[in-house]
Amino acid sequence: MESMLNKLKSTVTKVTADVTSAVMGNPVTREFDVGRHIASGGNGLAWKIFNGTKKSTKQEVAVFVFDKKLIDKYQKFEKDQIIDSLKRGVQQLTRLRHPRLLTVQHPLEESRDCLAFCTEPVFASLANVLGNWENLPSSISPDIKDYKLYDVETKYGLLQVSEGLSFLHSSVKMVHGNVTPENVILNKSGAWKIMGFDFCVSSSNPSEQEPKFPCKEWDPNLPSLCLPNPEYLAPEYILSVSCETASDMYSLGAVMYAVFNQGRPIFEVNKQDIYKSFSRQLDQLSRLGSSSLTSIPEEVREHVKLLLNVTPTVRPDADQMTKIPFFDDVGAVTLQYFDTLFQRDNLQKSQFFKGLPKVLPKLPKRVIVQRILPCLTSEFVNPDMVPFVLPNVLLIAEECTKEEYIKLILPELGPVFKQQEPIQILLIFLQKMDLLLTKTPPDEIKNSVLPMVYRALEAPSIQIQELCLNIIPTFANLIDYPSMKNALIPRIKNACLQTSSLAVRVNSLVCLGKILEYLDKWFVLDDILPFLQQIPSKEPAVLMGILGIYKCTFTHKKLGITKEQLAGKVLPHLIPLSIENNLNLNQFSSFIAVIKEMLSRLESEHRTKLEQLHVMQEQQRSLDIGNQMSASEETKVAHSASQQIDKVFNNIGADLLSGGESENREDGMQGKQKRGSLTLEEKQKLAKEQEQAQKLKSQQPLKPQVHTPIAPVKQTKDLTDTLMENMSSLTSLSVSTPKISASSTFTPAPSSGLGMMFSTPIDNTKRNLTNGLNANMGFQTSGFSMPVNPNQNFFSGTGTAGVTTMSLGAPPTMSNFSPLTIPPASVKQPQQRPTDMSALNNLFGPQKPKVSMNQLSQQKPNQWLNQFAPPQGSPVMGSTAMGTQGNVMGQAAFGMQGNPFFNPQNFAQPPPTTMTSSSSASNDLKDLFG
């Protein structure tokens, strides 16, 4: 990559150096900027040809430069001869003005290093095109390297040279003297121009009919640049030292031969022995046959043979050559006509331009672009000729690439887009709108092309509006959506509403119907369909156009009409139109068919929607019922325990729980749930209960805490011990009887202290679930030990409401309660202060008179026990007696609410009816009283 860059850099540097060294200091550079070296021309291809521009006008030119370094090898006088010969040729060319001669735009300027002059833009010399690349830059342009002459270019080029010679011979009375490929220049448009008048000979008697042209003898000692090219020189120059106009015609024949033979001349000449070569050449020319001219087209072969004839008088003159049939080719004639176009009037031009579309397809693209297109665009300044020229320009544009169109054609069309007169210009553009929109850049479309369409829609001519409306659908897909939505559609709508022409209104509706597919669905629904209701006309054609737009929108896959639009706007509009009196039977049938189709779809869509809604409602209803059933099941489970507890406490006393009324309300609420739907408050309450149950289930199981009993200190026996022994003996005598009516009466703790609810022993599982107790929780009865506080109130003192009288029955064995009471005998109890007997007030209750210890000791055993007997008619609950399942005393009296050591399974034995050990009862009483 670096080597390529270095090579490119060296090439550019070399070219720049060549240009700088060649032109630096020359006065030409004051007015012209010299560009790239593109070609070479002139005698011996001594002139380098550069691109150039005029500084003041930026006009493109060609700069011919002769570098004096080329003649450094010559002597000074030879240098002077060469310079004089070159100057003479340029000066003569500058004086002559003709379309077939190279046009000089700046005369020759000389500096110390070079000669330079400027001409019209040049492509190359004919010698360069034919493969002679002498004095060209090392990197030859591909344009020259790959250039191939078309037949029409060759024919017309030779015709142009013939015309140029005719001008010199007839008008100027001059012999060119050096007609060669080096002195034929192809300008930028491809026209062949003559230059190189270094050896021209003017007539010595120009006023007479037969001019005489003096001729100089060939001097082989002169430098080659001071002599004409002998390969194209007529034999009489050398052999008879004479020249005439026929000598140039011989040179023309030699050029024609070289053109058809890849630049090779007919004879090779030895410049060292020129006379001998020409003598041999003369002999060959005298025997020249058609076989030697096989490369020349047959229709011109005889004319070339005549041109190469040894006798000058036999050769055709220039004027005769211009009229030979070979040059009657359609392409050559067309190009010739373009060259003389400025001489024609408008009528002749119009006739020519009308027939030109038939000729253009026969011409090569390069010829059309280089030669014809500039001539056509030059006629745009004449408004009357634009309708005749424009179709040909657009036809050429179709064959051009997008880049060529943007570079060569679009700049010329810009002013034409804005012309409103004559009206045919607009029609031509509308017919070729697809071409314009395809090749024109988006900015130019927006700024030049579409405004022209808008003007056509607003034109006063009905024919223009109709044509525009008919053509718009053909290129609608090429118009950008914003322009169509915001500019084109509103103008079509205005044309439909404001016109007085029925044809324009119908064409507007047809145009809208055809471009619906390029529009957005919601734009059609919100803008196009409401517009249809604004059309005032009721002619059948208009009504059918309206129906067509509705039908196209309704049936199009991309568009479609919503059922809301159908029901609210479309059908209310179509149905009244369908009964217009102007409609015939077929038109009415078309209306009814579309209306029925719309109604059918409306029905199916809405029915489907309602069915889906119905299914969703049913599913929602089933989900709601399922939720209510699950909620009611949870409510039943949550309230089953409270129902069981109600039954228990109704049996032992309805007033035991202070929350009885709330439970009754819950029962009533449950009944309401069964009767009807739940209220919001009820649902909230159910949710709270479910949340509480979930919390209880998620709690960690309670772990038993072992309380080590404190061994009581051995006390000295006092009167209390004696009293206890006496009472226990009395108790044993009384209990030994078979009747159990004389049971102790206890008042359980108040309902507020009974935190753990329990039920009958029938359904243990439901009780455990309801109460929140873990069924796997084990209570060791041997660990049921609590130190007794003598001051603690285990029993209520008054027989208030809610007190339940229970019959106590001891279990068969009281070993489970043994750790509660008697301390080991070996432990000596410490001295205690006299026992405070006020705690016994709660035992006996306020309704009983206070009894002293002496009175108590004097009472009979049965009388003392009767104090604990239940009142007459009070319920006795054997199953809940002490030591049985649901032990009231163990829970209520000892504060065992939620005690982890309480396990109903430890008390599952049936209650006994008698007490077997009086000592255990005595021990219990001892523990109770301290």
Side-chain angles (χ1 to χ4, degrees), residues 496-497 499-503 505-506 509 532-544 546 573 577 580 582:
C496 181
L497 294 175
T499 185
S500 58
S501 171
L502 178 62
R505 183 166 291 152
V506 172
L509 294 175
L532 299 178
Q533 302 179 14
Q534 303 173 8
I535 299 176
S537 178
K538 300 297 181 182
E539 288 82 1
V542 176
L543 297 182
M544 294 307 294
I546 294 174
H573 183 220
L577 294 181
E580 284 290 332
N582 295 331

Side-chain angles (χ1 to χ4, degrees), residues 95-108:
R95 286 194 292 267
L96 297 173
R97 294 287 179 176
H98 191 268
R100 302 298 176 245
L101 305 182
L102 187 65
T103 304
V104 177
Q105 296 185 354
H106 189 83
L108 180 70

Side-chain angles (χ1 to χ4, degrees), residues 65-81:
V65 177
F66 175 77
D67 191 354
K68 291 183 179 180
K69 291 181 180 179
L70 294 176
I71 56 176
D72 286 344
K73 61 182 179 179
Y74 296 106
Q75 300 294 327
K76 185 178 184 303
F77 75 95
E78 294 176 329
K79 292 180 181 180
D80 294 339
Q81 289 177 333

Side-chain angles (χ1 to χ4, degrees), residues 295-349:
S295 60
I296 299 176
E298 186 177 357
E299 59 268 27
V300 75
R301 191 175 298 166
E302 291 298 324
H303 297 94
V304 173
K305 186 178 179 181
L306 287 175
L307 290 173
L308 296 177
N309 196 287
V310 176
T311 306
T313 56
V314 179
R315 303 166 190 161
D317 60 25
D319 189 57
Q320 291 172 342
M321 281 299 297
T322 59
K323 296 178 174 61
I324 63 175
F326 179 71
F327 296 130
D328 287 341
D329 180 78
V330 175
V333 172
T334 302
L335 295 177
Q336 186 181 21
Y337 194 93
F338 271 110
D339 288 339
T340 59
L341 197 61
F342 63 94
Q343 303 174 3
R344 317 288 178 175
D345 56 18
N346 285 349
L347 181 60
Q348 292 174 325
K349 290 180 181 179

Side-chain angles (χ1 to χ4, degrees), residues 78 87 271 302 644 656 722:
E78 294 176 329
K87 285 183 179 180
K271 297 180 181 179
E302 291 298 324
Q644 297 293 337
L656 180 62
T722 305

Side-chain angles (χ1 to χ4, degrees), residues 226-269:
C226 295
L227 295 171
N229 189 344
E231 294 175 347
Y232 297 90
L233 200 61
E236 59 267 21
Y237 268 103
I238 306 299
L239 299 179
S240 60
V241 193
S242 63
C243 66
E244 50 185 308
T245 57
S247 301
D248 285 342
M249 300 311 295
Y250 175 90
S251 300
L252 177 61
V255 169
M256 293 177 69
Y257 182 91
V259 168
F260 291 111
N261 282 274
Q262 291 82 38
R264 295 190 299 270
I266 188 171
F267 296 114
E268 295 289 341
V269 176

Side-chain angles (χ1 to χ4, degrees), residues 341-380:
L341 197 61
F342 63 94
Q343 303 174 3
R344 317 288 178 175
D345 56 18
N346 285 349
L347 181 60
Q348 292 174 325
K349 290 180 181 179
S350 63
Q351 294 297 328
F352 172 72
F353 290 139
K354 283 181 182 180
L356 185 59
K358 298 178 182 179
V359 179
L360 289 178
K362 300 177 182 180
L363 298 177
K365 178 182 175 181
R366 184 176 68 204
V367 175
I368 294 174
V369 172
Q370 291 183 350
R371 299 296 310 277
I372 296 178
L373 183 60
C375 297
L376 291 175
T377 55
S378 64
E379 291 293 326
F380 282 155

